[in-house]
Amino acid sequence: MSASGLAMIDLERAMQTARAGAVAASAASMVHYRQGVRVETKPDRTPVTQADREAEAAIFEIIRTNFPGHALLGEETGAHAGSADTRWIVDPIDGTRGFTRGGTFWGPLIALEHCGLIVAGAMALPALGEVYWAARGKGAYRQVGDATPTRLGVSGIDDLSEATLFLGEPKALLSPAHAERVLQLTATCAQTRCYGDLAGCAMVLTGRAEVWIEAGVQSWDLGPFPVLVAEAGGRFTDFAGNETVHSGHCVVSNAKLHSQVLAMLK
């Protein structure tokens, strides 16, 4: 995208809107956390709770206040009309199953997409008190509790044999389509872990891991990662090397190892 295209969007305002949405969704979901919230099953066999619905409503309210003309796509309520070129992609609770069981690796994902490029976004890990946000050319940041926000930066490790790899959903990554290559990657890296959902990406953003891979997901499961990762100095693509959240799979890395990982996954 050209600089003139991005200039049409107030990126600072978009970044702060995404951040505020993540904070509001965190508050809405924490009301129900470990309170025995009732779990329903959607037609696609994934779980949903009142916390998901209230968190999405809280995010949408903030977006509509700041950008009333933008389109919206939410996991729980689908598409909402707006600008043809600009829309917000929202997952109110990524990791609902973990949320319902009292886990900590879950939270909202919020992204602003303009002409196919993610230009601003935020995410949070409410149970850990963490919020992350970024916009193109504005940097990527993390705040823990009431502490002063810090700028995010990926690690400098450039050898896969010294790298920490995080896996997303093993059911998808170890399916016949990917298993052989994923297992080769795990054998090459120094260690492999599996936090799941957005927490795996958070490990790369904070320099605690070098690579995170995910597969078998939807656009809203990956929404803000391209801008968060790029602004932290890393790289985000799908397995084919395309920077898109719409393929259903992704590689997140510290950039130094990205080409090697892609070569092993293709």
Side-chain angles (χ1 to χ4, degrees), residues 103-232:
T104 56
F105 302 140
W106 56 270
L109 298 173
I110 304 165
L112 177 60
E113 182 183 47
H114 181 65
C115 296
L117 179 70
I118 303 298
V119 298
M123 71 180 201
L125 291 163
L128 301 178
E130 300 181 9
V131 183
Y132 300 70
W133 63 94
R136 297 281 171 178
K138 302 289 184 180
Y141 304 88
R142 171 187 182 230
Q143 184 174 25
V144 182
D146 296 325
T148 301
T150 57
R151 191 150 184 168
L152 291 166
V154 298
S155 83
I157 290 176
D158 59 4
D159 186 339
L160 269 180
S161 68
E162 297 296 325
T164 294
L165 165 69
F166 270 77
L167 300 181
E169 173 53 63
K171 185 183 297 184
L173 290 170
L174 298 180
S175 68
H178 305 299
E180 182 177 353
R181 287 163 288 175
V182 170
L183 289 173
Q184 180 184 5
L185 180 60
T186 64
T188 303
C189 292
Q191 62 177 351
T192 301
R193 298 290 183 264
C194 189
Y195 271 16
D197 303 310
L198 68 167
C201 184
M203 297 299 285
V204 178
L205 290 171
T206 53
R208 293 175 284 178
E210 285 63 57
V211 182
W212 172 65
I213 60 174
E214 178 65 283
V217 296
Q218 302 295 326
S219 302
W220 47 71
D221 296 308
L222 304 176
F225 298 152
V227 68
L228 284 165
V229 172
E231 291 297 316

Side-chain angles (χ1 to χ4, degrees), residues 53 56 60 64 73-80:
R53 298 187 180 99
E56 184 165 292
F60 279 11
R64 285 170 172 147
L73 175 63
E75 179 180 8
E76 307 309 335
T77 58
H80 302 255

